[in-house]
């Protein structure tokens, strides 16, 4: 930091920063450290499995706080604790209470008789408008059947930034659309030099998204919160590197809570090896979810 102009002998003076200013590299870290200290002072403990999750479990009172930068979700079974926490945070940070959760980080939350629906309808609508793709003929599959995209086949696309922007937005859409996980993983491989076959596949995916713009996931209540995991692999499916694709999904009480589609880091010599690698990835996710659920007082899985 430089001394302000007009200060005598400014080359020999230094500025002492008493408050972390917005825009500095350390500002976000200082903000989170301040928020953590305030939550700890209210009896919360920081999760060991997700550092943005804070838990307060005392006798029959349970409260959880999820933090994303300066957006905070608070839930629990003791309304008095929640009210006290919001009052304290308002005194320290002057927060705005938006009431019951309906919209968070681009995800719309709907309350139904049989559960909670998570969708991204508004984001999907904006995505389709910005893509300027003709959606009058919606597609029924995320990608054309039996499609194999190659890295160096086809003419180079003239607007690679458009391709990268659309794939990036589709990647955000996978937060509530597990059916797009493999498609986005496949299209993301050609971000550096997209070609016409890649952009045609992208437009096909956008027409599929337009077919059900309000589609999302349903989180249902269940008497038995059984954790299930399913994994699969597509052996040597990449025509360029011959690496396999891993896919898995985790269900808690029949509701999806985690999923992924990813190209394996090494070449598997057999389909059995590819399956074992997929199982290993799913097992690692299960181990983490079990530890996280245990912190949320969910033990019988």
């Amino acid at each position: 930091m430089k001394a302000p102009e007009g200060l005598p002998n400014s080359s020999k003076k230094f500025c002492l920063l008493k408050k972390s200013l917005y825009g500095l590299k350390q500002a976000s870290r200082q903000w989170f450290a301040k928020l953590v200290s305030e939550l700890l002072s209210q009896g919360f403990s920081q999760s060991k499995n997700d550092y943005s999750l804070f838990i307060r479990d005392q006798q029959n009172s349970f409260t959880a706080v999820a933090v994303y930068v300066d957006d905070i979700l608070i839930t629990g079974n003791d309304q008095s604790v929640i009210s006290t926490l919001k009052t304290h945070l308002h005194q320290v940070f002057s927060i705005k209470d938006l009431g019951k959760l309906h919209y968070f980080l681009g995800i719309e939350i709907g309350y139904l008789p049989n559960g909670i629906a998570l969708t991204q309808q508004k984001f999907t609508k904006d995505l389709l408008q910005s893509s300027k793709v003709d959606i009058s003929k919606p597609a029924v599959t995320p990608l054309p059947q039996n499609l194999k995209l190659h890295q160096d086949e086809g003419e180079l696309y003239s607007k690679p930034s458009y391709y990268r922007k659309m794939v990036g937005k589709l990647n955000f859409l996978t937060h509530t659309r597990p059916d797009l996980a493999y498609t986005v993983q496949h299209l993301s491989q050609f971000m550096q030099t997209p070609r016409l076959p890649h952009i045609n596949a992208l437009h096909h995916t956008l027409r599929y998204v337009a077919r059900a713009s309000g589609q999302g996931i349903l989180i249902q209540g269940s008497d038995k919160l059984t954790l299930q995991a399913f994994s699969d692999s597509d052996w040597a499916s990449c025509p360029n590197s011959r690496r396999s694709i891993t896919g898995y999904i985790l269900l808690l009480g029949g509701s999806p809570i985690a999923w992924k589609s990813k190209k394996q880091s090494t070449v598997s010599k057999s389909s059995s090896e590819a399956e074992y690698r997929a199982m290993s990835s799913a097992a690692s996710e299960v181990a983490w979810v079990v530890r996280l659920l245990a912190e949320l007082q969910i033990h019988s899985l």
Side-chain angles (χ1 to χ4, degrees):
M1 178 177 290
K2 296 181 180 179
E5 296 182 3
L7 186 67
N9 300 322
S10 59
S11 61
K12 298 181 180 180
K13 294 185 179 294
F14 299 90
C15 294
L16 177 62
L17 188 63
K18 294 184 178 181
K19 182 179 180 181
S20 184
L21 300 178
Y22 179 82
L24 297 181
K25 290 183 178 180
Q26 69 272 28
S28 58
R29 183 178 183 274
Q30 294 299 324
W31 150 251
F32 187 70
K34 176 63 175 177
L35 179 60
V36 170
S37 66
E38 294 299 330
L39 290 173
L40 295 179
S41 69
Q42 295 298 304
F44 286 84
S45 60
Q46 192 172 15
S47 169
K48 301 299 182 183
N49 298 286
D50 188 342
Y51 290 162
S52 62
L53 176 65
F54 299 84
I55 300 170
R56 185 179 187 268
D57 184 19
Q58 296 180 356
Q59 297 178 354
N60 295 326
S61 174
F62 181 85
T63 309
V65 176
V67 178
Y68 185 85
V69 191
D70 58 351
D71 294 318
I72 304 174
L73 292 181
I74 306 175
T75 186
N77 60 2
D78 192 336
Q79 187 61 42
S80 62
V81 175
I82 296 177
S83 299
T84 301
L85 176 61
K86 290 194 292 186
T87 301
H88 176 76
L89 293 178
H90 181 69
Q91 292 174 350
V92 178
F93 301 111
S94 184
I95 65 173
K96 181 184 294 183
D97 187 0
L98 300 179
K100 191 175 182 179
L101 179 64
H102 290 283
Y103 191 82
F104 187 70
L105 301 180
I107 299 177
E108 301 162 46
I109 295 88
Y111 299 92
L112 306 175
N114 58 337
I116 299 176
L118 305 180
T119 63
Q120 293 174 274
Q121 189 169 5
K122 180 181 182 300
F123 177 81
T124 303
K125 183 179 179 180
D126 296 340
L127 166 64
L128 295 174
Q129 287 180 349
S130 63
S131 68
K132 299 180 181 180
V133 174
D134 182 13
I135 57 176
S136 58
K137 296 182 179 179
V140 296
T141 57
L143 285 175
Q145 294 184 359
N146 303 319
L147 175 68
K148 289 291 184 180
L149 295 175
H150 296 262
Q151 191 170 3
D152 53 359
E153 287 188 2
E155 184 180 348
L156 287 173
Y157 183 55
S158 59
K159 298 179 180 178
S161 60
Y162 168 81
Y163 181 87
R164 296 164 189 155
K165 181 176 66 175
M166 290 296 107
V167 174
K169 290 185 176 182
L170 285 174
N171 186 44
F172 184 74
L173 191 58
T174 59
H175 291 165
T176 58
R177 296 289 298 269
D179 55 326
L180 296 175
Y182 169 77
T183 301
V184 173
Q185 177 273 139
H186 195 47
L187 295 175
S188 298
Q189 302 178 57
F190 315 105
M191 302 280 271
Q192 183 175 2
T193 54
R195 298 176 181 270
L196 290 183
H198 308 150
I199 195 66
N200 292 334
L202 172 64
H203 288 167
H204 181 97
T205 302
L206 292 173
R207 289 196 298 271
Y208 169 78
V209 170
R211 185 171 178 266
S213 60
Q215 184 174 337
I217 60 177
L218 178 64
I219 307 297
Q220 294 179 295
S222 176
D223 296 333
K224 297 181 179 179
L225 290 179
T226 303
L227 181 63
Q228 297 175 297
F230 300 90
S231 66
D232 197 5
S233 67
D234 191 0
W235 181 46
S237 61
C238 179
N240 299 307
S241 63
R242 287 305 173 186
R243 288 192 283 172
S244 308
I245 303 296
T246 287
Y248 66 77
I249 185 170
L250 272 63
L251 305 176
L252 181 62
S255 301
I257 60 171
W259 52 86
K260 177 175 284 189
S261 177
K262 184 179 180 181
K263 186 187 292 185
Q264 295 181 1
S265 57
T266 58
V267 177
S268 298
K269 297 180 181 178
S270 66
S271 59
S272 298
E273 182 179 347
E275 294 285 355
Y276 277 118
R277 292 186 184 276
M279 291 172 58
S280 175
S281 298
S284 298
E285 187 75 7
V286 167
W288 175 75
V289 169
V290 168
R291 294 195 305 268
L292 183 62
L293 292 176
E295 291 186 322
L296 297 173
Q297 306 305 314
I298 303 175
H299 300 282
S300 57
L301 299 174

